[in-house]
Amino acid sequence: MVEALLKRRAPLLAAYWEYREEVDRWTLNLVPDSPEHERALLNEAVELMVEAPYRTAFSLSDPSVDSRQIPRARALGAYIRVEPYVGRRIDTTFTAGEYFDSVVPVYFRADLMTHLSVA
């Protein structure tokens, strides 16, 4: 889904799975590059969600588009140090004033990766 959003040039800053204990499930956070682009990213994601293969792979409650996640995405991007980072679960981390319990990175725009080095 993230690859399809990027091909569509959707305003995507970051994407990561996060376990939400209060609802006992994982949520795919799709973070827009600015609060002004939240609706555009939401529209792009919804258009994909009704198409195959996404409509069978995701429920409508799986992804979340939220510009309030921008500071968290910036903190997590700066925290990541090793490539490849996609799919590497990050547990119980407090960084840059943000707390993460269980997160699985999917995509971070290159400018967020301020401490990345190739392994």
Side-chain angles (χ1 to χ4, degrees):
M1 181 174 196
V2 170
E3 285 180 15
L5 287 169
L6 293 172
K7 283 181 184 175
R8 290 174 167 226
R9 297 184 186 265
L12 185 64
L13 180 68
Y16 54 91
W17 285 98
E18 184 170 23
Y19 183 74
R20 301 233 168 116
E21 192 172 311
E22 67 275 8
V23 291
D24 192 32
R25 68 179 175 83
W26 289 86
T27 299
L28 178 61
N29 289 303
L30 301 172
V31 184
D33 59 8
S34 71
E36 295 78 24
H37 292 146
E38 182 176 63
R39 180 160 303 277
L41 180 57
L42 177 63
N43 289 340
E44 293 284 348
V46 168
E47 282 181 23
L48 285 174
M49 293 281 298
V50 297
E51 297 176 5
Y54 309 105
R55 71 174 173 235
T56 56
F58 293 99
S59 75
L60 285 176
S61 60
D62 287 341
S64 170
V65 176
D66 187 355
S67 62
R68 293 173 296 179
Q69 295 292 323
I70 292 172
R72 298 186 84 228
R74 291 188 187 285
L76 195 55
Y79 174 81
I80 295 171
R81 304 270 196 260
V82 179
E83 180 78 54
Y85 64 87
V86 173
R88 288 187 180 202
R89 186 171 171 166
I90 300 170
D91 287 320
T92 315
T93 301
F94 187 78
T95 184
E98 300 291 340
Y99 176 76
F100 300 92
D101 190 23
S102 294
V103 176
V104 178
V106 175
Y107 166 80
F108 285 84
R109 202 170 65 192
D111 61 311
L112 296 182
M113 310 303 286
T114 57
H115 295 96
L116 185 67
S117 63
V118 177

